[in-house]
Amino acid sequence: MKKASSNIMNEMEQTLDILNNIKEVDASPFLITRIQQKIEIDKINSISTPWVFSIAATVFILLCLNVFTIAKKPQMNEVSSLAKNMNLLNNDNFYNEQ
Amino acid sequence: MQFDALFTTYKNMVYNLALQYVQNVEDAEEITQDVFVAIHHSLNTFKQNAEMSTWIYRIAINKSLDFLKAKKRKKRFGFIVSIFENQETMQAHSFNHPGIELEQKQAVQLIFSALNKLNDQQKTALILSKIEQKSQKEVAEIMNLTPKAVESLIVRAKNNVFKNLNNKEGL
């Protein structure tokens, strides 16, 4: 049993030993040019971090201002009751037209 | 270290490692380009306490595995091709490894087709130990594992390759 398993192991090793014969090959000499080109394209396409932060900050400030304005805006009911108390018309029927 | 010097030192290491994963010149060149672009981007963040070659090996392994995953995904969507050709014949068409001698090409191609069926970790362990001739300690360092874990990974990888080969012969 042991002998059989060691035979299998040997066979396995022998089969895989063929992978030791794979030779190292040289990379193409033009690779560096292509890499430099890719790096340049990446540089052009990428937006710098300070810009990203400033855009994000502007959007955030605008959003905050909007929320603040909406929260501060007086409710229509308050305006109507104030106009009623002061006997003001809260419509545009100034001449009591029908 | 300057980028140009780094490229000169490690270009063949990266290219050959990529070749073992994809067994195709064009794909290996594409991976090599991606690896060096990634190195260029993160060269400033490289920690000097780690070995430069280990760091580059890790980037090359991740890029190669990502490339294979992306290729698999693309193949899955190319349903017209898959109707007429099965995956194995497609792999055989794209097999183009310049490091293999002509008389051994068929045998090596058969082993690679069995190796390609392994999971990522087993494949990496076998490529690094058997083809790149790295010691178990070096493989452990690159893969961020213990030497014991690498040892068992290699044994399982060899068993699975052998099983895959036998299955193929049995067909």
Side-chain angles (χ1 to χ4, degrees):
Chain A
M1 184 77 178
K2 227 176 184 180
K3 205 178 172 186
S5 85
S6 78
N7 277 346
I8 292 169
M9 285 297 278
N10 280 340
E11 201 184 329
M12 227 157 71
E13 286 296 333
Q14 273 173 7
T15 312
L16 289 174
D17 274 348
I18 203 166
L19 295 176
N20 296 338
N21 300 333
I22 295 176
K23 289 192 179 110
E24 196 186 283
V25 283
D26 286 337
S28 161
F30 305 111
L31 264 180
I32 185 71
T33 326
R34 278 183 254 160
I35 290 164
Q36 281 165 345
Q37 214 172 354
K38 259 192 178 180
I39 291 167
E40 284 306 311
I41 291 168
D42 277 6
K43 261 186 205 168
I44 294 163
N45 290 341
S46 68
I47 311 165
S48 63
T49 323
W51 267 106
V52 173
F53 275 113
S54 57
I55 291 166
T58 314
V59 170
F60 181 72
I61 289 166
L62 280 173
L63 270 173
C64 286
L65 278 172
N66 272 323
V67 170
F68 183 74
T69 316
I70 291 163
K72 270 278 171 187
K73 197 178 174 185
Q75 293 294 306
M76 275 314 283
N77 294 351
E78 289 171 27
V79 177
S80 308
S81 63
L82 183 75
K84 205 175 176 185
N85 287 340
M86 293 180 79
N87 288 328
L88 294 172
L89 289 170
N90 59 352
N91 56 38
D92 52 1
N93 188 8
F94 297 112
Y95 305 107
N96 291 323
E97 291 166 342
Q98 288 303 310
Chain B
M1 202 177 195
Q2 284 291 307
F3 180 74
D4 285 358
L6 206 127
F7 175 79
T8 314
T9 314
Y10 295 108
K11 64 174 181 180
N12 285 347
M13 182 188 99
V14 172
Y15 177 64
N16 280 280
L17 184 69
L19 257 179
Q20 317 313 344
Y21 277 96
V22 292
Q23 301 111 43
N24 181 287
V25 175
E26 288 83 24
D27 293 348
E29 282 185 355
E30 209 176 312
I31 294 168
T32 310
Q33 287 175 44
D34 289 345
V35 170
F36 280 99
V37 171
I39 290 170
H40 186 270
H41 282 321
S42 45
L43 199 56
N44 296 332
T45 59
F46 169 67
K47 288 168 194 152
Q48 292 297 327
N49 54 358
E51 186 96 27
M52 178 70 89
S53 63
T54 307
W55 181 62
I56 294 174
Y57 258 120
R58 281 179 193 160
I59 297 173
I61 290 166
N62 288 334
K63 289 279 176 198
S64 304
L65 293 173
D66 287 347
F67 185 91
L68 287 174
K69 274 176 205 154
K71 204 173 175 182
K72 228 180 202 176
R73 231 176 289 135
K74 245 186 222 173
K75 264 185 197 169
R76 227 173 277 156
F77 284 107
F79 71 98
I80 296 170
V81 180
S82 65
I83 289 168
F84 299 107
E85 285 178 289
N86 64 28
Q87 217 178 347
E88 278 172 38
T89 49
M90 274 175 71
Q91 275 175 355
H93 282 312
S94 61
F95 189 90
N96 175 17
H97 196 310
I100 301 162
E101 283 172 6
L102 203 63
E103 56 266 28
Q104 288 181 330
K105 195 182 170 184
Q106 218 169 1
V108 178
Q109 194 174 341
L110 207 69
I111 294 173
F112 267 122
S113 70
L115 195 142
N116 288 340
K117 285 177 187 156
L118 299 178
N119 68 37
D120 290 350
Q121 280 213 318
Q122 288 182 13
K123 196 190 292 178
T124 302
L126 204 61
I127 286 173
L128 289 175
S129 66
K130 206 72 195 161
I131 308 174
E132 295 288 309
Q133 318 264 319
K134 297 278 169 206
S135 69
Q136 266 178 23
K137 199 184 156 204
E138 285 171 308
V139 178
E141 211 171 299
I142 293 166
M143 293 183 74
N144 218 0
L145 295 168
T146 61
K148 271 266 171 232
V150 170
E151 194 184 340
S152 73
L153 260 181
I154 293 170
V155 171
R156 268 182 285 151
K158 281 178 183 174
N159 282 329
N160 286 336
V161 166
F162 207 57
K163 254 187 231 167
N164 291 339
L165 283 173
N166 283 338
N167 284 345
K168 214 161 205 183
E169 279 169 13
L171 283 172

